[in-house]
Amino acid sequence: TAALPTNVRDATLVLRPVMASLELIDGQVAVVPETGNANKLRACLVCSLVKSPRQFVESGCENCPFLNMVDDNERVYDCTTAAFDGFVAITKPSESWMARWQRLEKRVPGVYAITTRGEVPEDVITQLEENGVRIPR
């Protein structure tokens, strides 16, 4: 395994082969994918939070509760993607240069995709807008 560069002090989550779903970091709960197999992970299409499909079904997206993914497998697959490149662990979003660079400073601590491919389906966007929820495009 490659060592982290010494100048990256804010990426203190160490990705392990088997990860817990939640970890406490400086009094905050960090969302951590439960599987070490990156091929089975998905990223939220709105905020890029990375979790397993099961985690999205069980708790939705902590940053985007308006997507209503809890207990809805179809919605999880509509609003997340397995097509993402790289990921970064952000432990202190409000203090992290990486979080600022990725525009994640107001998000929950967790693992985020660097880039994602895909879009929230138009019918989901329409349904959300009809209910007064606007998602960034």
Side-chain angles (χ1 to χ4, degrees):
T1 60
L4 288 175
T6 56
N7 63 344
V8 182
R9 66 175 177 73
D10 58 2
T12 57
L13 280 180
V14 178
L15 301 179
R16 297 176 297 278
V18 178
M19 299 178 202
S21 59
L22 297 174
E23 290 190 11
L24 200 57
I25 310 268
D26 289 340
Q28 282 191 301
V29 175
V31 180
V32 181
E34 66 183 356
T35 179
N37 185 345
N39 294 330
K40 294 183 180 179
L41 297 176
R42 298 188 67 82
C44 175
L45 285 168
V46 175
C47 73
S48 301
L49 182 66
V50 175
K51 296 176 22 171
S52 71
R54 185 174 71 88
Q55 287 175 298
F56 278 116
V57 170
E58 288 177 357
S59 61
C61 178
E62 286 76 3
N63 295 313
C64 309
F66 52 84
L67 290 176
N68 301 315
M69 290 191 268
V70 176
D71 296 328
D72 190 339
N73 280 316
E74 185 176 339
R75 183 71 132 211
V76 166
Y77 283 90
D78 285 346
C79 297
T80 65
T81 181
F84 63 89
D85 295 316
F87 46 84
V88 61
I90 304 291
T91 59
K92 296 180 182 177
S94 63
E95 299 174 20
S96 167
W97 68 267
M98 178 64 77
R100 283 192 304 275
W101 178 58
Q102 289 293 111
R103 299 180 185 171
L104 300 170
E105 58 273 300
K106 293 183 179 163
R107 307 293 187 185
V108 300
V111 177
Y112 290 86
I114 302 288
T115 60
T116 60
R117 289 180 299 286
E119 295 179 5
V120 176
E122 209 46 53
D123 63 315
V124 173
I125 292 172
T126 301
Q127 179 186 21
L128 291 170
E129 288 176 347
E130 286 172 357
N131 291 312
V133 176
R134 300 206 34 98
I135 62 172
R137 297 189 190 214

